[in-house]
């Protein structure tokens, strides 16, 4: 059997969809399982023993119809038995339709029966789940292929011993404080509306240092460096002494190595939180008020805590839709009681044994 899993979009989505490849390999151990994604997401898939080949759909291919159809027929030539399209946009509709696969699987939409012969109904937003709809809806895509109950539903990142050793070597070059925890800080979200206000983030970092005396590493991409510096500047001088701004990974695999050496990740909800969970690193995350809680509030427990406005003030979501809340993001971030966040953060520190 030959399987192709398609998941474009962001790193968190791509990492989450590895539960499809993991379970396909478990049920069909001799099968070939390939994964298609964008180039910027390849690194979260590397070294996964359940993925035989990573296929990159390049931006220049997507934007040119001639190149796209050349790519489509290259996929057809691979003769997959099943294609699972977890993305389901026009480009992947066409890739799946022309693949020649016996099983063409995706989510049910008004037009989806034109492209797929297995159209899976998602659970609707608002459905409560302990593991999150992002996980449950992906697992539903496996039903045409796997009949038995699936119990392996956690994404995983696979680092080599060399990558871990290189991360430790990098850390050793900096004068981190001894005998205190080290936290990776998700200092900025991937978009403006996913970013907790700078002044309040600085206040939480001040509280973190006053409570734990920890080492803090900032996670940001190069174009966010100026904003990360602004948050650093808003912190108290004592907090700044604990922030190792230049202890920074230049690529995603190096970041994963650094993250694996941290005691926890704290900050804005997003791809870094998903990566930390896949490395079994405890997380404390702040959701944007407009991000769907039921989909992405996954694997919550005492060592993976998140704060979402819907948990605090559900009545707001009865009065306004997601679009309105997104347009008024900072107004609704003001509805998050910072003292309550500090209280929950303190409980988290105790749970991960960073304070007594």
């Amino acid at each position: 059997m030959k399987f192709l899993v398609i998941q474009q979009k962001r790193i968190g989505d791509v990492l989450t969809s590895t539960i499809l490849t993991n379970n396909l390999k478990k049920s069909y151990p001799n099968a070939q399982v390939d994964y298609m994604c964008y180039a910027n997401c390849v690194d979260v898939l590397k070294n996964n023993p359940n993925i035989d080949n990573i296929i990159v759909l390049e931006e220049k291919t997507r934007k040119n119809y001639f190149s796209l159809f050349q790519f489509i027929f290259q996929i057809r030539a691979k003769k997959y038995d099943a294609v699972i399209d977890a993305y389901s946009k026009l480009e992947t509709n066409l890739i799946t339709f022309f693949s020649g696969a016996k099983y063409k699987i995706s989510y049910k939409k008004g037009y989806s029966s034109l492209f797929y012969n297995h159209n899976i109904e998602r659970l609707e937003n608002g459905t409560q789940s302990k593991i999150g709809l992002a996980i449950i809806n992906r697992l539903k895509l496996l039903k045409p292929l796997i009949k038995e109950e699936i119990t392996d539903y956690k994404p995983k990142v696979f680092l080599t011993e060399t990558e871990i050793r290189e991360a430790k070597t990098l850390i050793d070059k900096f004068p981190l404080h001894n005998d205190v925890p080290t936290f990776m800080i998700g200092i900025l979200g991937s978009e403006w509306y996913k970013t907790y206000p700078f002044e309040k983030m600085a206040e939480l970092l001040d509280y973190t240092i006053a409570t734990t005396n920890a080492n803090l590493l900032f996670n940001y991409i190069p174009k966010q460096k100026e904003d990360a510096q602004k948050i650093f500047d808003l912190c108290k001088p004592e907090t700044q002494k604990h922030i190792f701004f230049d202890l920074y990974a230049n690529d995603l695999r190096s970041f994963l190595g650094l993250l694996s050496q941290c005691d926890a990740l704290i900050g804005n909800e997003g791809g870094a939180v998903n990566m930390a969970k896949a490395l079994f690193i405890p997380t404390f995350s702040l959701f944007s008020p407009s991000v769907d809680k039921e989909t992405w509030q996954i694997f919550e427990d005492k060592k993976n805590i998140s704060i979402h406005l819907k948990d605090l003030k559900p009545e707001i979501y009865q009065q306004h839709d997601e679009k309105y809340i997104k347009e008024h993001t900072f107004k609704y971030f003001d509805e998050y009681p910072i003292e309550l966040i500090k209280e929950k953060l303190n409980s988290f520190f105790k749970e991960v044994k960073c304070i007594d």
Side-chain angles (χ1 to χ4, degrees), residues 58 129 136 149-150 175 191 196-197 219-220 231 239 288 307 349:
E58 300 282 1
S129 163
I136 289 178
E149 182 182 0
I150 293 174
E191 304 284 352
Y196 192 57
N219 171 43
Y220 57 89
I231 297 173
T239 301
S288 164
I307 307 292
F349 292 146

Side-chain angles (χ1 to χ4, degrees), residues 186 201 265-270 272-274 277 282-288 296-298 300 303-308 336 341 345 348:
M201 178 61 78
L265 181 143
I266 299 167
N268 292 283
E269 183 277 333
V273 174
N274 291 307
K277 289 178 179 178
T283 62
F284 185 96
S285 55
L286 296 162
F287 269 85
S288 164
W296 289 107
Q297 210 168 26
I298 62 176
E300 294 282 293
K303 291 188 177 181
N304 291 284
I305 294 172
S306 65
I307 307 292
H308 196 296
Y336 288 56
I341 295 174
L345 194 50
F348 174 74

Side-chain angles (χ1 to χ4, degrees), residues 6-10 13 17 36 38 57 62 84-93 105-107 109 111 116 122 138 141:
I6 304 175
Q7 176 69 79
Q8 318 292 37
K9 215 173 180 183
R10 298 184 185 276
D13 301 275
S17 287
M36 183 187 298
Y38 294 150
L57 179 53
R62 297 174 57 226
I84 303 174
D85 179 6
Y87 186 54
S88 191
K89 301 294 183 182
L90 179 59
E91 63 199 40
T92 59
N93 296 158
I105 306 166
S106 192
Y107 295 115
K109 296 183 177 180
Y111 61 85
Y116 308 96
R122 299 174 188 253
R138 281 169 171 80
L141 294 172

Side-chain angles (χ1 to χ4, degrees), residues 11-276:
I11 289 171
D13 301 275
V14 170
L15 179 56
T16 301
S17 287
T18 59
I19 61 173
L20 302 176
T21 63
N22 298 346
N23 281 286
L24 285 170
K25 207 68 163 179
K26 186 175 181 180
S27 293
Y28 300 88
N30 297 318
Q32 176 179 319
V33 180
D34 297 347
Y35 197 122
M36 183 187 298
C37 66
Y38 294 150
N40 65 315
C41 297
V42 166
D43 279 353
V44 295
L45 305 177
K46 286 180 178 177
N47 300 317
N48 186 326
N50 303 304
I51 299 174
D52 293 291
N53 300 290
I54 301 171
I55 299 171
V56 176
L57 179 53
E58 300 282 1
E59 183 77 8
K60 62 183 179 182
T61 302
R62 297 174 57 226
K63 298 299 183 183
N64 181 291
Y65 283 118
F66 177 75
S67 296
L68 179 59
F69 273 92
Q70 279 188 317
F71 179 85
I72 286 170
F73 285 102
Q74 288 171 7
I75 295 300
R76 183 180 179 88
K78 294 180 184 291
K79 298 182 178 180
Y80 288 106
D81 297 287
V83 177
I84 303 174
D85 179 6
Y87 186 54
S88 191
K89 301 294 183 182
L90 179 59
E91 63 199 40
T92 59
N93 296 158
L94 294 171
I95 290 168
T96 308
F97 179 74
F98 287 109
S99 68
K102 177 181 178 181
Y103 294 89
K104 303 179 186 72
I105 306 166
S106 192
Y107 295 115
K108 185 176 182 179
K109 296 183 177 180
Y111 61 85
S112 60
S113 60
L114 296 173
F115 300 97
Y116 308 96
N117 56 11
H118 293 274
N119 297 277
I120 308 300
E121 291 217 32
R122 299 174 188 253
L123 291 181
E124 295 182 359
N125 290 353
T127 305
Q128 297 298 318
S129 163
K130 289 183 179 180
I131 62 174
L133 296 186
I135 300 294
I136 289 178
N137 283 327
R138 281 169 171 80
L139 291 179
K140 285 167 70 70
L141 294 172
L142 293 174
K143 289 202 169 188
L145 301 167
I146 301 174
K147 303 305 179 186
E148 56 268 23
E149 182 182 0
I150 293 174
T151 57
D152 181 7
Y153 47 72
K154 284 195 174 185
K156 302 175 185 70
V157 165
F158 297 87
L159 292 172
T160 66
E161 291 183 7
T162 298
E163 287 171 324
I164 293 170
R165 186 168 59 250
E166 288 173 350
K168 290 178 178 178
T169 299
L170 177 59
I171 290 170
D172 287 343
K173 293 179 180 178
F174 289 81
L176 270 64
H177 303 275
N178 295 324
D179 302 320
V180 297
T182 298
F183 299 143
M184 182 66 72
I185 306 299
I187 199 69
L188 297 155
S190 58
E191 304 284 352
W192 67 268
Y193 65 90
K194 294 183 177 181
T195 299
Y196 192 57
F198 291 6
E199 296 83 358
K200 292 185 176 182
M201 178 61 78
E203 184 176 342
L204 290 181
L205 296 183
D206 289 339
Y207 176 78
T208 296
I209 294 306
T211 307
T212 67
N213 217 30
N215 302 302
L216 305 183
L217 314 184
F218 278 11
N219 171 43
Y220 57 89
I221 58 177
K223 69 179 182 180
Q224 296 175 321
K225 185 174 182 178
E226 184 177 336
D227 284 339
Q229 183 68 52
K230 288 177 183 177
I231 297 173
F232 175 90
D233 293 340
L234 288 166
C235 292
K236 293 178 179 179
E238 183 57 33
T239 301
Q240 293 177 359
K241 293 176 185 177
H242 290 259
I243 298 172
F244 294 86
F245 199 93
D246 295 325
L247 179 41
Y248 182 81
N250 291 314
D251 58 75
L252 185 54
R253 292 301 293 187
S254 298
F255 168 73
L256 289 166
L258 277 183
L259 181 56
S260 74
Q261 300 307 301
C262 293
D263 294 280
L265 181 143
I266 299 167
N268 292 283
E269 183 277 333
V273 174
N274 291 307
M275 287 185 269

Side-chain angles (χ1 to χ4, degrees), residues 296-321:
W296 289 107
Q297 210 168 26
I298 62 176
F299 308 125
E300 294 282 293
D301 56 30
K302 291 181 179 179
K303 291 188 177 181
N304 291 284
I305 294 172
S306 65
I307 307 292
H308 196 296
L309 184 60
K310 199 168 187 179
D311 297 321
L312 306 173
K313 299 184 178 181
E315 65 276 6
I316 290 173
Y317 295 83
Q318 296 168 3
Q319 299 165 3
H320 304 292
D321 61 15

